[in-house]
Amino acid sequence: MEYFAETKKLTKVLNSPRLMTKEFGKDRARRIMARLDEVDAAKNLAQIPSDSPPR
């Protein structure tokens, strides 16, 4: 899935794991990718939990 963000730079970062790791660091990039995977797996926004993902 392709992600779109407010800026072109953030859009590029969110769509590239390598750039995401470079921009946010290994740990935070992994958490962002996990959250984006939840969005991909959900059929609609109601299925996405509003609280923190499990650790």
Side-chain angles (χ1 to χ4, degrees):
M1 174 180 245
E2 187 173 354
Y3 301 103
F4 297 95
E6 193 170 318
T7 64
K8 286 184 180 182
K9 179 183 177 186
L10 184 56
T11 299
K12 283 184 178 182
V13 170
L14 290 177
N15 288 297
S16 169
R18 183 183 61 81
L19 288 176
M20 196 181 306
T21 302
K22 183 178 178 183
E23 184 76 20
F24 298 115
K26 186 178 179 181
D27 186 49
R28 186 166 290 156
R30 188 176 32 154
R31 290 180 187 185
I32 293 169
M33 285 187 266
R35 190 66 168 176
L36 292 175
D37 287 342
E38 285 184 17
V39 172
D40 286 343
K43 291 182 181 179
N44 59 45
L45 291 177
Q47 293 180 333
I48 299 173
S50 60
D51 42 334
S52 306
R55 295 182 182 200

